Amino acid sequence: MVKYIVVTGGVVSSIGKGITAASIGRILRSYNLKVSAIKIDPYLNWDSGTLNPYQHGEVFVTHDGMETDLDLGHYERFLDVNLSGYSNITTGKVYMSVINKERKGSYLGSCVQIIPHITDEIKSRIRKISTDNKADIVLVEIGGTVGDIESQPFLEAVRQLRNEEGHNNVMFVHVTYVPYLNAAGEFKTKPTQHSTKELRSTGIIPDMIICRSEKPLSTSLKNKIAHFCDVDSKAVINCPDASSIYEVPLTMDKENVGKYIINRMELGIDECAHDLTEWKTVVDRLKKQDSTVTVGVVGKYVELEDAYISIRESLKHAAAHIGVNVNIEWINAETEINTIRLKNLDSILIPGGFGERGINGKLDAVHYALVNKVPIFGICLGLHSMVIEFARMNGLKDAHSTEFDETTKYPVIDMMEEQKKINDMGGTMRLGSYACKIKKGTIASEAYQSEMVEERHRHRFEVNNEYRELLEEKGLIISGTSPDNFLVETVEIKDHPWFFGCQFHPEFKSRPERAHPIFVSFIQATVDSK
Ligand code: GLN
């Protein structure tokens, strides 16, 4: 029988509900339980693909090509699983599917309503994940904060789920924030009390309250919260700010989260039979090392690190794998590219992106890396920038991508043929996992140690095949292609310490325990050239 753990949030947003839920999952995994996860986003967008990264951070791409919320990245990294696109439920998906059914006549004769039609649709999507993944535990994180109008149907659906699945099979965890008031010199529990009251007004009684705070809370304060919010004192868990997100499962384990859940849900396993040693090793490796390398990430959304969260984490995983610290300099491609800034870097990474803003800065960064032989790693738009600048430096004056200049004389990057007939913006790119054939004797083959790999994609533009031969003559090495050799997947050059661009996004597959081989190769080159 599958068990559901529903995670809601209170008081304020951005308190790390996703990390908290993922940490619960990691602890349960250490009991040898199969854990899966769902993120519910109560907005009306069908998926995250059309959202500005400044609002919601990175768009995480699943292996089956769904553009999702960044929390799915936390789940994949903490649980070491590959989630499907069904793990991201939005109001848009729920309503669209109900309306499509209504148009087909599936509800013939009835008045289609939020209860039961929308709530039934939500429940069936939640149950689908447990059956598809044959999970023992499904974590269901409801985005937003309790009290938001948008989340009402989802809260009602999970309330019903508890009645239908039974008390022992559904558990509610409420994550709140306990602020510290400097003027009063004390923590304040009132916001937690109020948000719990708000949650109760939906008919949901929390089984566990996880209190986020800047500093640790005392036992008496936790008892006070237990008393006022009417939960077991053992189920008031404190999760103070941690120096690394990977420490959160260990902090929560000390608070006996796993034990409480095992007993509360009557899982019938030994509450002590778990082992987080492997995770502890990862956390130790991620701690301070003796030497540090500095990587400059040249992008458009650098003011918000969440916009490049998987890249940031992949760099950390790779650095930990090698045994160095990584200091990331976030450099605005539009305003901050200058020699002084670039001189302080040991290597450069250009992430994916859309639109013209900042493109010249990215090309300047590639130019600098080529001239000064600094290791450089380009991902998607990063690869495009590398190919454009390489072409320009090899006689194709003003070469460009037709994404930015439709009339360029040398369109070395052009829209993929199948993309030319598409007008809609949502979910229409080349998305998800595709195979890539690797050429021997290249950075790619040395890193992957494999002739065929699978990586996740999200793009409309590609290297223009009409320029392939010419670029190869000038020294560009096409080290990875689609199996039919039609699409360029990775590029390199000789006579440079490390110049590697990929059309795919390796950052979505890096795990704390298994750093991605390309990121490892990049950090190694950074260390070597320092
Ligand atoms: N804008 C480019 C494209 O659509 C690159 C996309 C990306 O970097 N993910 O192909």
Side-chain angles (χ1 to χ4, degrees):
M1 183 96 192
V2 62
K3 311 269 180 184
Y4 298 93
I5 300 178
V6 178
V7 181
T8 52
V11 183
V12 283
S13 57
S14 307
I15 44 172
K17 219 166 352 114
I19 300 280
T20 312
S23 300
I24 294 178
R26 183 67 213 197
I27 293 170
L28 294 173
R29 225 196 79 150
S30 73
Y31 282 91
N32 273 331
L33 292 165
K34 187 153 191 253
V35 184
S36 194
I38 297 173
K39 170 72 194 291
I40 291 178
D41 281 309
Y43 46 65
L44 274 159
N45 302 59
W46 193 85
D47 61 21
S48 310
T50 53
L51 285 171
N52 185 334
Y54 273 133
Q55 271 191 40
H56 281 267
E58 160 188 290
V59 174
F60 186 82
V61 182
T62 56
H63 67 91
D64 57 350
M66 186 70 76
E67 297 170 282
T68 72
D69 183 80
L70 59 79
D71 274 330
L72 261 74
H74 293 315
Y75 291 124
E76 291 209 349
R77 287 186 282 271
F78 276 61
L79 303 176
D80 197 7
V81 291
N82 289 325
L83 297 172
S84 81
Y86 288 107
S87 275
N88 197 191
I89 304 176
T90 62
T91 298
K93 283 180 192 166
V94 170
Y95 275 72
M96 194 184 266
S97 138
V98 168
I99 291 168
N100 284 343
K101 284 184 196 159
E102 187 275 331
R103 291 290 78 189
K104 280 198 192 125
S106 309
Y107 309 116
L108 229 45
S110 18
C111 169
V112 181
Q113 294 182 298
I114 293 187
I115 304 172
H117 302 96
I118 293 292
T119 48
D120 281 353
E121 178 70 27
I122 295 168
K123 285 182 290 179
S124 91
R125 281 171 180 260
I126 292 175
R127 289 189 172 110
K128 180 173 168 48
I129 291 300
S130 63
T131 28
D132 282 3
N133 299 349
K134 297 189 179 60
D136 301 310
I137 309 265
V138 178
L139 295 161
V140 183
E141 178 197 345
I142 303 188
T145 309
V146 166
D148 296 347
I149 289 177
E150 285 108 326
S151 45
Q152 297 295 321
F154 294 102
L155 293 173
E156 170 58 18
V158 292
R159 186 194 65 75
Q160 294 172 13
L161 190 76
R162 162 122 101 184
N163 286 345
E164 291 165 19
E165 298 288 323
H167 178 261
N168 292 341
N169 299 323
V170 180
M171 175 173 167
F172 293 111
V173 176
H174 192 47
V175 185
T176 73
Y177 184 64
V178 181
Y180 182 80
L181 282 198
N182 259 330
E186 57 182 6
F187 284 105
K188 289 292 173 192
T189 65
K190 196 70 81 188
T192 295
Q193 295 175 38
H194 277 297
S195 96
T196 307
K197 200 166 128 195
E198 183 76 40
L199 182 63
R200 283 170 172 277
S201 73
T202 66
I204 293 173
I205 298 164
D207 299 283
M208 179 179 273
I209 296 187
I210 299 187
C211 304
R212 290 273 298 107
S213 56
E214 273 182 54
K215 297 260 152 38
L217 302 181
S218 65
T219 309
S220 70
L221 212 67
K222 281 160 68 179
N223 287 340
K224 183 178 172 186
I225 292 170
H227 185 66
F228 279 96
C229 298
D230 194 25
V231 295
D232 190 339
S233 60
K234 287 204 288 276
V236 176
I237 307 298
N238 182 210
C239 212
D241 287 355
S243 54
S244 148
I245 53 171
Y246 300 106
E247 276 182 24
V248 179
L250 302 180
T251 312
M252 287 177 54
D253 188 47
K254 282 197 193 113
E255 299 265 298
N256 296 319
V257 168
K259 286 184 187 162
Y260 192 86
I261 294 174
I262 301 287
N263 293 320
R264 158 68 184 77
M265 303 197 97
E266 296 184 1
L267 276 152
I269 50 175
D270 178 358
E271 62 168 36
C272 297
H274 79 309
D275 184 6
L276 276 166
T277 330
E278 227 179 285
W279 191 257
K280 275 196 196 105
T281 320
V282 171
V283 174
D284 285 343
R285 256 197 277 132
L286 282 156
K287 282 197 181 128
K288 275 232 151 318
Q289 306 285 342
D290 295 335
S291 61
T292 300
V293 290
T294 299
V295 178
V297 175
V298 178
K300 189 163 101 169
Y301 314 105
V302 287
E303 289 81 5
L304 182 76
E305 280 185 33
D306 272 3
Y308 301 113
I309 194 162
S310 291
I311 287 184
R312 186 187 68 194
E313 296 312 308
S314 303
L315 288 171
K316 282 196 220 159
H317 303 162
H321 178 91
I322 289 171
V324 293
N325 305 312
V326 59
N327 164 40
I328 305 174
E329 290 265 332
W330 300 97
I331 304 176
N332 188 321
E334 201 182 11
T335 55
E336 293 178 337
I337 293 294
N338 55 59
T339 327
I340 302 167
R341 199 77 205 266
L342 294 172
K343 253 191 176 157
N344 292 326
L345 307 174
D346 299 320
S347 63
I348 297 169
L349 189 155
I350 306 184
F354 296 83
E356 198 182 359
R357 197 159 58 77
I359 188 68
N360 289 333
K362 291 174 191 173
L363 298 179
D364 289 348
V366 176
H367 190 91
Y368 177 89
L370 279 169
V371 172
N372 296 286
K373 303 239 184 277
V374 175
I376 182 161
F377 183 7
I379 296 176
C380 208
L381 184 59
L383 169 140
H384 297 175
S385 310
M386 289 164 106
V387 172
I388 295 165
E389 188 57 28
F390 177 84
R392 287 183 181 186
M393 287 170 74
N394 283 284
L396 303 185
K397 195 170 168 287
D398 297 331
H400 223 321
S401 160
T402 52
E403 182 177 6
F404 314 118
D405 180 1
E406 280 184 35
T407 59
T408 174
K409 196 165 163 208
Y410 303 114
V412 289
I413 305 291
D414 197 11
M415 192 179 268
M416 284 181 280
E417 228 17 73
E418 73 259 28
Q419 287 286 329
K420 292 186 177 158
K421 357 180 219 305
I422 298 172
N423 290 320
D424 285 357
M425 294 295 276
T428 53
M429 283 185 253
R430 178 172 179 244
L431 289 165
S433 275
Y434 286 94
C436 168
K437 192 173 67 184
I438 306 285
K439 194 172 175 175
K440 286 213 176 76
T442 57
I443 292 178
S445 79
E446 200 174 304
Y448 282 117
Q449 295 287 314
S450 171
E451 281 171 27
M452 197 67 86
V453 296
E454 290 232 336
E455 293 284 3
R456 302 183 195 175
H457 297 69
R458 182 175 186 242
H459 64 118
R460 288 195 173 88
F461 292 80
E462 57 161 337
V463 174
N464 187 345
N465 279 338
E466 284 181 21
Y467 288 89
R468 231 158 111 169
E469 225 178 283
L470 182 65
L471 292 170
E472 282 182 302
E473 271 167 30
K474 305 276 183 196
L476 194 77
I477 301 162
I478 295 174
S479 59
T481 60
S482 52
D484 62 3
N485 206 26
F486 192 71
L487 296 177
V488 172
E489 289 280 6
T490 68
V491 301
E492 306 177 13
I493 54 168
K494 275 206 199 92
D495 306 324
H496 189 280
W498 205 91
F499 180 98
F500 181 86
C502 49
Q503 186 56 74
F504 47 74
H505 291 266
E507 69 271 25
F508 296 138
K509 286 181 77 176
S510 181
R511 304 280 190 263
E513 294 122 305
R514 281 179 296 111
H516 192 286
I518 296 290
F519 277 88
V520 172
S521 172
F522 173 56
I523 295 290
Q524 189 59 57
T526 308
V527 173
D528 294 345
S529 71
K530 197 172 147 72

